[in-house]
Amino acid sequence: MSIAENIEKLRERIENAARKVERDPSEIKLLAVTKTHPIPIIEEAIKHGIEYIGENRIQEAVEKIPFLKDNIREFHFIGHLQSNKIKKLMKLEPALIHSIDKLSTARKLNEHLGELKKKQDILIQVNTSAEASKFGIDPQETVPFVQEIAQLKNLQITGLMTIGMFTSDETIIRKCFQTLRRLFEEIKRENIPGVKMKFLSMGMTDDFEIALEEGANIIRIGSAIFGARNY
Ligand SMILES: *Cc1c(COP(=O)(O)O)cnc(C)c1O
């Protein structure tokens, strides 16, 4: 199937999943995850309506995003952020960083933003599957972590992100997303100064329909648009 057809089919699936739980599909941000795919392929997706692009490696983003920037609405960084890559990332002006999970990195980012006289929207990544291999803060530690990050005045927390458990058991995947949703509501209720809970970034190619049912408003989709990745 062509990229155009993939996108059309994906939009249909998003609409159906949203309608099933009486949600407005237009409130859902489709982030196309373009890692491993070359610029011409990404341009093809942009031609067919993709407006939001996500990359998970700084080096790859540095090589691609400057050439795509004029034709997209937003670039999001979704990968693990190492503190020695902060300056490179900030040059790409990400609209949103999905993956803050470490206080020391957040402090360095805050400091660098101070030098640039800029603010940055971020999401806190939560490890809802309790898989040791995954990044993200433990669910039980998320509220205090948010309170701590909220004090860094150049960082604006706008929501939470998670990667669901890699399993075919739908019940387990759903539990991951429910955990994130519950934390989202809890943090909202806390009314922490400077924290605006707007975005729930959850759901990928294999589980976005479950994520949409559980309240996701950013889904991060790679394979369903571009096909399988060749590393
Ligand atoms: C690669 C990646 C995705 C997209 O994965 P697909 O299964 O191809 O849709 C989403 N989120 C993150 C953090 C990723 O690294």
Side-chain angles (χ1 to χ4, degrees), residues 37-89:
H37 300 293
I39 291 169
I41 302 281
I42 304 169
E43 281 171 338
E44 180 72 11
I46 293 168
K47 208 172 87 188
H48 291 97
I50 291 299
E51 302 176 295
Y52 304 96
I53 296 279
E55 284 279 343
N56 71 333
R57 286 175 190 275
I58 305 281
Q59 195 47 46
E60 195 179 338
V62 164
E63 287 163 15
K64 286 152 65 180
I65 297 303
F67 300 96
L68 300 164
K69 202 103 212 249
D70 290 345
N71 299 319
I72 58 174
R73 220 184 259 270
E74 291 176 2
F75 158 59
H76 292 197
F77 185 70
I78 62 173
H80 179 62
L81 180 58
Q82 290 168 286
S83 56
N84 62 348
K85 302 276 171 68
I86 286 172
K87 287 183 185 169
K88 276 188 174 171
L89 176 60

Side-chain angles (χ1 to χ4, degrees), residues 33 35 56 78-79 161 163 203-206 220-224 229 231:
V33 178
K35 65 190 185 204
N56 71 333
I78 62 173
M161 178 274 226
I163 298 173
M204 302 164 43
T205 292
D206 288 334
R220 310 177 308 267
I221 309 290
S223 326
R229 282 179 292 275
Y231 285 96

Side-chain angles (χ1 to χ4, degrees), residues 86-87 90-91 111-119:
I86 286 172
K87 287 183 185 169
M90 293 323 293
K91 282 195 185 133
E111 206 173 290
H112 183 57
L113 285 160
E115 291 161 9
L116 298 173
K117 298 192 165 54
K118 277 186 174 174
K119 308 250 186 248

Side-chain angles (χ1 to χ4, degrees), residues 83-136:
S83 56
N84 62 348
K85 302 276 171 68
I86 286 172
K87 287 183 185 169
K88 276 188 174 171
L89 176 60
M90 293 323 293
K91 282 195 185 133
L92 301 176
E93 303 185 312
L96 189 60
I97 300 173
H98 287 228
S99 41
I100 296 298
D101 65 355
K102 209 169 157 205
L103 188 55
S104 60
T105 308
R107 283 195 174 124
K108 285 200 180 118
L109 177 59
N110 183 62
E111 206 173 290
H112 183 57
L113 285 160
E115 291 161 9
L116 298 173
K117 298 192 165 54
K118 277 186 174 174
K119 308 250 186 248
Q120 176 67 52
D121 284 356
I122 60 164
L123 306 181
I124 303 303
Q125 182 171 354
V126 183
N127 184 354
T128 55
S129 63
E131 287 171 289
S133 60
K134 288 218 181 98
F135 291 110

Side-chain angles (χ1 to χ4, degrees), residues 1 3-17 30-33 50 204-205 208-209 212 219-226:
M1 275 220 290
I3 285 181
E5 286 169 313
N6 287 349
I7 293 171
E8 198 188 314
K9 194 136 186 268
L10 176 60
R11 296 242 188 242
E12 246 168 59
R13 285 173 64 188
I14 293 169
E15 270 197 46
N16 288 339
L30 169 58
L31 186 69
V33 178
I50 291 299
M204 302 164 43
T205 292
F208 74 85
E209 277 137 329
L212 288 174
I219 55 173
R220 310 177 308 267
I221 309 290
S223 326
I225 298 173
F226 300 104

